[in-house]
Amino acid sequence: MIEASEIENRGAAQQNPLPAPLAPLERLAWNYWWSWAADGAGIFRDLDPEIWQECENNARQLLAKTSAYRLAEAATDPVYLERVRRLDESFQSYMTSGSGWTIDDLKITHEHPVAYFCAEFGIHNSLPLYSGGLGILAGDHLKSASDLRLPLIAVGLLYRYGYFRQRLRNDGWQEEHYGETFPNDLPITQIKNADGTPMRIEVSIRERNVLAQVWRADVGTVQLYLLDTNIPENVETDRWVTGHLYGGDRETRIVQEMLLGIGGVRLLRKLGVTPHVYHLNEGHSAFLTLELAREVIEQQQLKMKDAIPVVRQQCVFTTHTPVAAGNDEFDSALVVRAFGKEYLQQLGLTEEEFLALGRVDANNKAERYGLTPLAIRMSRSTNGVSLKHGEVSRALWQKLWPDKKLEEIPIMHITNGVHAPTWVSPLLRYLFEKYIGADWEKKLREQDVWKEAVLRISDEELWIAHSLLKERLIAFVRHRTTHSRLAAGEKADYIEAAKTMFDHEALTIGFARRVAGYKRWNLLLSDQQRLLRLINNEERPVQFVFAGKAHPQDEGSKLVLKQLAQWKYDPAVRHRAVFLEDYDQEIARQLVQSVDVWLNVPRRPMEASGTSGEKVAINGGLNLSILDGWWLEGYDGNNGFAIGNGTDATEVAAIDALDAESLYRTIEQDVVPIFYNRDSSGLPRQWIAMMKRAIQTLAPEYNSNRMVEDYVRRIYS
Ligand SMILES: *Cc1c(COP(=O)(O)O)cnc(C)c1O
C-alpha cells in the first residue's frame, strides 16, 4: 500500500491559515467520514452557514473561504472548540480501532483487499461523481465497508464535469448545464511516485497511449482512487476521456470503460496491491477481466482458454439492470478499433475470438459486444440486487447456459441496502442513541434489539421528532423555491408566494426519482381531476414534493416534466405541489428524512432494487409502492402501503391502468384516513404504529452493513 510516496495537493485552495485550535478541522475535512458522523456536518455548517451553502457543503472550500475574522471567532468559542474536539476524538478512535466489529475473514487482508470497481460513486454531494442510484449504492457500500473495517479499495474515474445539473425553463422544459470540477477544490489527494513525481497510469486506447493521473478520496478507512486523463501530456481528445459521466457517445463510453477496467488494474499494480477479489459493480468495469487475463498470459505463458479460469477465480460481478436494452453494448468494429491490434495479440486472440467473449452466442457475428455477457463469463459469481431481480436476471441470461434449466442458472441475489448513519436524520439518530445506545450503528443487524428499542419510544416523542423534520422540509422547500423563482425571473408575487407555500399539518408525499419511462411519473398524472381532488381537499389535503432528472436525450420524459409545470401558477395547486430542481444527494436527504409517505410506482419488474424507500424507512416514513425490487421483500402488510396486486407487466397499457386505479384508491381509502385519524390528544396512533413497525422491520434488514456482510460471506470469501 502506498504511504510514503503520496504527497498532498492540500492547501492549494487555502487562503486563510487556520488558527491552531481549529487545526483538527483540516484533518476532518479531508476524510468524508465527517459526512456520516454525528454533528460532523453541523460543525462545518456552523463555521459559516452561508459559505457552507454556497460551496455545496464542500468542507475543503469552506475552510478556504471562511474569513479570517470568522475563523478567529470560532477559535475563541469554547463551546464550538469542545464540539470540534469531540468530533476529532471520535475520528481518531474510528480510524485506529478495529475492535470487536471486524469481519473475520483471513483471506481478505490489507495486502489482499477487495477491489471494488464502479463507474460512479455517490459519496457526498460535494463530490459530484454520480448520476443516481448506482453511484449512491457504491458510496454506501464503501461507507459500510469502512464501518465494518473490511479491507476494501475502490477504483473509479474523476469526471471533470460530472453529471449534468438540471434547470427548468419557465415553461417547465428541462435544460442541462455542467459545472466544472476542479481537483484543487475537492478534498482529494494527488498520488505521487516514490520520487515525488505525479503517478501516471498508461493505457493504449485507439492505438494511442493515454495517460491518467491519480487522485484519492478518503472515505473513513476506505480509499477511493480516481483516474483522470485531464493532463497536458494527452492529446486534446484524450483529455476528454474523463470529461463527463455518461455524457458522450458510444465511443466515449467504451474508451472510459477501458480506462476504468484496464487502467484500474494497472493502478492497483503500481500501488502494490494484489486484491483477494475484484468486484465489478455493474458491467462498466468488465474490461478489467481482460487485463487480468493479459497479465496471466504474459506471466505464465498461458493460452486465453487456460487464463480464463484463473481470472474467473478472482472476479465477482453484480448486475443492476433488469432489461436487455439497459445493458452496455457496442458495435464490433468499435470494440476492435478501441482496443487495437496489439492488445488482441497480447491476448493471443483473433478478432473473432476476441469478439466472441462479449457475445451470448459466440458464433453469431451479427451480435453486438455486450459487457454483461463478458462480465458473467469472466466472473466466478454473478448476482442481482433483490430477490425478484435475481429471478429476472436468471431468465434474462439463461441463454448463456443453453443446457441448464432456469432454476439452475447460477445467478444469485443480494438485496441492496443503505448506509444508515448517512441517511438517518439527526433527530432519529438521537432517538436511536437514546433507546438502543451510543453504539446503535454496531447493532444495525440485530432485529430483536430494534424491535424492543422502538417499542420503548413513546408515540409523542416519535411524532414530535417527525413533525419538526417536516417543518424543516417545508422551510427547505420554501427556501429552494424562492431561489429558483428568483433565478428564473418569475413575477414578484409568485416569488413571494414561495414563502408561504406548504402546510406542516398536511399529509406530505415525496416523489423523487429519475424521470424515465418505467418509473411511470405519468401514472400519478393519469387522472388529473382525482389528483386535484386530493390536493384541494380542505379538510384532509395532500401535498406533493417532486424532484428528478430526465435523461438529456429523453424527450418523452422531458414532456412529463413540462406537463407537471402546467399547474405551477394555478393558485389552487401551487401551495401544495412543488418540483425541486436538480435532484441530488442533498435534496434526497431532506426528503427521505421528513416526508410522511414515499411514493414509488415502477413498472414491474423493472426496479432492480431501489434504495430511496429504504432511506425513508430508517427515518420512520411510510412507503407507498408497487411490490417490486426491495419492497416486494420488505412489505409485511403493516409497515407501509402496497400498490397493485403484484403481477408482472405483460400488457403495458392494461397494467398501467390497474396500477393507477390502485394508487389513487390506496391514497384515498388507506393513506389519507389513517394519517388524519387523530385521537383526543391529536396524535395519529395507527399511523405512528405503522411508522414504528417500518423502523423495526426494515431498518435492521435494508441497511448496507447487512448488504456488505452478505457480500463478504456469500460472495467475496
Ligand atoms: C438514493 C438515491 C437514488 C436512488 O433512488 P431510487 O429511487 O431507489 O432509484 C437516486 N438518486 C439520489 C440522489 C439518491 O439519493
Side-chain angles (χ1 to χ4, degrees), residues 505-632:
E505 301 280 350
L507 171 65
T508 304
I509 298 184
F511 188 69
R513 50 202 67 260
R514 256 181 318 127
V515 191
Y518 82 88
K519 301 270 194 186
R520 295 196 297 186
W521 281 61
N522 51 354
L523 217 64
L524 187 62
L525 307 180
S526 63
D527 188 341
Q528 301 192 356
Q529 291 318 309
R530 212 162 163 186
L531 178 63
L532 293 180
R533 275 201 300 278
L534 283 171
I535 292 175
N536 292 324
N537 185 321
E538 275 320 311
E539 309 245 292
R540 301 175 155 196
V542 181
Q543 54 195 14
F544 287 91
V545 188
F546 299 100
K549 295 175 176 178
H551 190 279
Q553 270 111 47
D554 184 354
E555 304 264 316
S557 293
K558 289 187 172 185
L559 277 172
V560 171
L561 288 178
K562 193 154 179 267
Q563 198 191 346
L564 205 58
Q566 67 180 298
W567 290 306
K568 59 185 269 195
Y569 299 120
D570 183 335
V573 182
R574 73 184 198 192
H575 280 283
R576 298 212 179 113
V578 71
F579 181 89
L580 300 178
E581 287 167 295
D582 203 30
Y583 184 44
D584 69 354
Q585 221 167 329
E586 178 55 22
I587 293 182
R589 196 187 335 272
Q590 293 284 348
L591 292 180
V592 301
Q593 293 178 352
S594 323
V595 293
D596 298 305
V597 171
W598 192 248
L599 176 64
N600 192 15
V601 286
R603 185 174 294 125
R604 269 174 59 102
M606 309 274 271
E607 186 86 314
S609 165
T611 53
S612 57
E614 300 173 341
K615 302 168 192 166
V616 172
I618 285 179
N619 285 289
L622 298 185
N623 277 271
L624 164 61
S625 174
I626 298 283
L627 290 172
D628 194 14
W630 81 279
W631 190 233
L632 185 60

